[in-house]
Amino acid sequence: MTSSDSAQAAPQKAPAKDPWDLPDVSGLVVGVLGGTGPQGKGLAYRLAKAGQKVIIGSRAADRARTAAEELGHGVEGADNAECARRSDVVIVAVPWEGHGDTLAALREDLAGKLVVDCVNPLGFDKKGAYALKPEEGSAAEQAAALLPGSRVTAAFHHLSAVLLQDPGIEEIDTDVMVLGEERADVETVQALAGRIPGMRGVFAGRLRNAHQVESLVANLISVNRRYKAHAGLRVTDV
C-alpha cells in the first residue's frame, strides 16, 4: 500500500460540535421546588411565559396552587413530592437553610430526574453578605451527594428575583453559568435558559467548580447595594 493509499484509508475526524447547537427543550415539564419564594417564583414565571410547562412545588400544596394562580400562563402548583414526580427537569430554589433536608426527603421522587440547583449558601452580618462553604464543597455538590439517582447540574444563581418577577420587563439581560458532569444535561439546561428572552446559558465547568459560582452572588449583592441596581453577568468573547 502506498503512502497515498494509507492517507485515503485513515479515518476522518468528525467535525467538532457547535457548542451553541442546543436541544429542543420546549416539550419538557419543569418543576420548581421552592416555587413560592422570590427566585423560584420568578423563574417559574419567566419559563412559563416563554411557553414551558411549569409546576411549582412547596411544602404546602395549597400555597403552591395559590402562587400558581397568581402567575398564570398555565403554571400548576403541587406539594414538593408531586412536583418532583411530574417534572422532567427540577429546579431547586429553596432557602439554603432547608436545602439538605428538602432534597434528602425527595431522594426517591427525584430519582432519574435532571436536577438544576440554583441555591446560594450565604451568610449575612453587619458587613453584608458573605459566602458559606458547605462540607461537600457547594450546594450543588451537596445535592449530588444526597441524590445519587439524579443527574445534578447547577445554574440560575445570579438572577435578580425583582427583575424576574416584573411583568413590565420583557428581556432579562444576563448570562447563566451552567455546570454539570454530563454534556447532554448541561446543554439541556443551557437551552432552558435560552428560552427566556435576553438570557443565554454558558457552560462553566463541572460541579467541583460550583462553589465559586454560588459565592459570586455575595459580590453581586454588594454591587446592587452600592449602585441601587439589579446586577447580572455577561461573559465576553463567546
Side-chain angles (χ1 to χ4, degrees), residues 3-193:
S3 59
S4 60
D5 291 335
S6 299
Q8 291 175 358
Q12 299 295 312
K13 286 186 177 180
K17 183 179 183 294
D18 181 352
W20 297 111
D21 180 14
L22 301 174
D24 178 7
V25 295
S26 58
L28 296 179
V29 178
V30 179
V32 183
L33 302 180
T36 59
Q39 187 181 29
K41 197 171 183 181
L43 278 169
Y45 169 68
R46 290 291 165 176
L47 288 168
K49 188 178 180 182
Q52 210 73 38
K53 175 59 187 173
V54 176
I55 304 170
I56 59 175
S58 175
R59 286 177 296 176
D62 289 347
R63 186 180 176 194
R65 285 192 284 268
T66 298
E69 290 175 4
E70 293 172 356
L71 291 176
H73 298 285
V75 176
E76 294 184 41
D79 63 43
N80 282 332
E82 182 182 347
C83 172
R85 288 193 299 268
R86 292 179 55 196
S87 302
D88 303 304
V89 179
V90 180
I91 297 173
V92 181
V94 299
W96 165 240
E97 293 74 16
H99 182 264
D101 290 343
T102 298
L103 295 185
L106 296 172
R107 181 176 300 176
E108 292 185 6
D109 300 300
L110 289 169
K113 308 292 184 178
L114 174 54
V115 174
V116 187
D117 200 295
C118 67
V119 175
N120 302 305
L122 296 175
F124 295 86
D125 60 19
K126 63 182 180 181
K127 295 182 179 180
Y130 60 94
L132 304 174
K133 189 161 188 179
E135 182 179 347
E136 298 84 354
S138 65
E141 288 170 294
Q142 183 183 88
L146 291 170
L147 304 173
S150 305
R151 291 132 47 218
V152 177
T153 61
F156 300 116
H157 300 90
H158 306 139
L159 305 180
S160 163
V162 173
L163 298 184
L164 288 173
Q165 294 185 84
D166 187 343
I169 294 175
E170 293 297 324
E171 295 189 1
I172 306 293
D173 181 22
T174 192
D175 285 333
V176 172
M177 309 289 274
V178 185
L179 303 96
E181 299 302 318
E182 299 295 333
R183 181 166 181 168
D185 294 336
V186 169
E187 289 182 346
T188 294
V189 181
Q190 287 181 264
L192 276 175

